[in-house]
């Protein structure tokens, strides 16, 4: 990864943490006094969510708690991939609805999703160097106010947060999958996969949902996929490319996967040749 882009991504993450007040600095001695243990370690996870020609570096400060304090009572659901495919299928198989507007697909990302989920237990974490002032290293840690990626209950806390928000604005939570929500009076169906919200409905109602979420979360409206000239015609969701064609909707694997497979095959052939 390009070092300059990584530094910029890490700075952006620290700004997001500070804005959300994810942690409050506290003496390391307080951590030992309250928990009897050292603060949970953290590390940077730096990735390129783009490709070589169009890099999109992202960085996260992540807790290293998954191999500690293993608990069977912490669980966060993930919807089956078929749930989003079902929304796409329903959009593709619509018949003329008289005077009713056609249903479209909206795609919303929640920025820094876990930072919206309040911490429900006392957790102290090591702070990355980028978050420390001169002279603080080895003396202070962070007491979590909100959930940090990599801590044991972060995903569960986020699930509880978005479920509470969706129910409060009129959605009913699914029984077969708690990540699927339906609003009967507005005829909206939403599938939530981590921080990705995919919704089927008419444009007016999709805009209503966008405005509701804006009031409670920091969102990135990626767009609405549909047949009208002002609609998006192609978008990537969960590394799948969805395209609204003139007479159908196509759904295919991310082209980066094909590139990686080709690279692997070329690498294997090169080794076999040698």
């Amino acid at each position: 990864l390009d070092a300059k882009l990584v530094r910029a991504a890490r700075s952006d993450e620290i700004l997001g943490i500070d804005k959300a007040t994810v942690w409050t600095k506290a003496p390391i001695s307080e951590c030992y006094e309250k928990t009897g243990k050292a603060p949970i370690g953290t590390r940077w996870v730096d990735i390129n969510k783009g490709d070589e020609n169009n890099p999109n570096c992202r960085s996260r400060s992540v807790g290293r708690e998954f191999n500690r304090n293993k608990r069977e009572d912490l669980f966060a659901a993930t919807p089956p991939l078929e749930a989003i495919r079902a929304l796409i299928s329903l959009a593709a198989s619509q018949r003329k609805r008289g005077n009713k507007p056609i249903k479209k697909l909206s795609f919303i990302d929640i920025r820094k999703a876990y930072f919206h989920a309040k911490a429900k237990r006392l957790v102290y974490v090591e702070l990355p160097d980028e978050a420390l002032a001169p002279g603080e290293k080895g003396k202070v840690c962070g007491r979590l106010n909100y959930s940090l990626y990599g801590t044991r209950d972060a995903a569960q806390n986020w699930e509880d947060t978005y479920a509470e928000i969706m129910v409060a604005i009129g959605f009913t939570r699914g029984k077969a999958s708690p990540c699927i929500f339906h609003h009967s009076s507005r005829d909206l169906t939403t599938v939530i996969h981590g921080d990705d919200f995919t919704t089927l409905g008419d444009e007016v109602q999709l805009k209503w949902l966008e405005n509701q979420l804006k009031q409670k979360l920091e969102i990135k409206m990626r767009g609405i996929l549909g047949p009208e000239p002002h609609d998006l015609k192609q978008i990537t969701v969960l590394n799948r490319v969805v395209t609204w064609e003139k007479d159908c909707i196509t759904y295919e694997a991310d082209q980066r996967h094909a590139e990686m497979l080709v690279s692997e095959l070329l690498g294997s052939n090169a080794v076999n040749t040698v």
Side-chain angles (χ1 to χ4, degrees), residues 132-192:
L132 294 170
E136 287 185 332
K137 190 167 185 177
K139 298 179 181 179
V140 301
C141 58
R143 182 178 62 247
L144 293 187
N145 303 310
Y146 291 87
S147 300
L148 185 71
Y149 292 91
T151 51
R152 293 289 300 169
D153 54 353
Q156 185 182 71
N157 293 345
W158 166 238
E159 181 180 311
D160 292 343
T161 298
Y162 72 65
E164 182 179 340
I165 290 171
M166 295 296 281
V167 171
I169 61 176
F171 282 82
T172 299
R173 196 174 189 182
K175 294 181 179 180
S177 173
C179 306
I180 301 174
F181 295 80
H182 182 68
H183 199 302
S184 57
S185 63
R186 295 183 181 275
D187 197 15
L188 292 170
T189 303
T190 300
V191 175
I192 301 176

Side-chain angles (χ1 to χ4, degrees), residues 47 66 179 243:
I47 62 172
F66 275 94
C179 306
T243 306

